[in-house]
Amino acid sequence: YVFFYSEPYVAGTDDKTETTEHRLFQQYLTRQKFGRFNLQHRYRIEERFLEEEFKMRFRYFLSLHLPLNKASMEKGTIYLSVYNEIFLQNKPPVFDRDRIYGALGYMISPYIRIETGWMTQLFTSHQRGQFQLALFNNIPFKP
């Protein structure tokens, strides 16, 4: 489940609009290792409940991690991270966006890593780039 609140600017003004969204999603992940390359595929279906509208979206995510200073992804590894994620909608326009990302990362522990990089989002009418600094926590849940 995702609750998403945003205040995007109205184009060409200093005015903002408010948007809230409740989002449910189902996803399937697969991982493969080819030599030093670590691939991940993610297939996701989203049910998006916006204020006045219901939408569905389909996402495909392909990522690659390449360890640079060690043979595998382990504590102390510096790595290259790249991904591409395509977003499609069930109603026209079908193409929503494409995210392209490249970063340098560091494995703090087997479960925690940090990345810094650049993401470009391609839309039908424009594109937007953004710098990202991310902390990933993948500590396994043990009840």
Side-chain angles (χ1 to χ4, degrees), residues 99-111:
R99 289 181 176 165
I100 302 167
Y101 174 75
L104 194 61
Y106 179 74
M107 293 288 294
I108 296 169
S109 78
Y111 306 111

Side-chain angles (χ1 to χ4, degrees), residues 12-29:
T13 72
D14 290 334
D15 298 331
K16 293 182 180 182
T17 60
E18 281 186 15
T19 304
T20 58
E21 177 180 341
H22 298 273
R23 185 183 307 167
L24 300 173
F25 66 89
Q26 301 78 46
Q27 67 183 19
Y28 178 71
L29 299 170

Side-chain angles (χ1 to χ4, degrees), residues 61-78:
F61 174 87
L62 173 63
S63 74
L64 169 81
H65 288 140
L66 175 62
L68 299 176
N69 66 329
K70 298 192 178 201
S72 63
M73 295 289 287
E74 59 189 67
K75 181 180 177 181
T77 301
I78 297 169

Side-chain angles (χ1 to χ4, degrees), residues 90-107:
N90 67 326
K91 298 176 184 174
V94 173
F95 177 79
D96 184 33
R97 71 186 69 186
D98 187 5
R99 289 181 176 165
I100 302 167
Y101 174 75
L104 194 61
Y106 179 74
M107 293 288 294

Side-chain angles (χ1 to χ4, degrees), residues 36-50:
R36 294 171 56 108
F37 293 92
N38 296 280
L39 287 175
Q40 178 177 302
H41 303 267
R42 181 180 69 204
Y43 308 88
R44 180 181 284 183
I45 298 172
E46 297 177 333
E47 296 83 23
R48 304 173 64 208
F49 300 90
L50 296 111

Side-chain angles (χ1 to χ4, degrees), residues 87-128:
F87 294 64
L88 302 173
Q89 303 180 112
N90 67 326
K91 298 176 184 174
V94 173
F95 177 79
D96 184 33
R97 71 186 69 186
D98 187 5
R99 289 181 176 165
I100 302 167
Y101 174 75
L104 194 61
Y106 179 74
M107 293 288 294
I108 296 169
S109 78
Y111 306 111
I112 300 173
R113 58 190 170 91
I114 190 167
E115 285 183 9
T116 184
W118 187 261
M119 180 176 67
T120 299
Q121 292 195 73
L122 306 170
F123 300 90
T124 53
S125 62
H126 66 287
Q127 68 181 35
R128 179 178 66 208

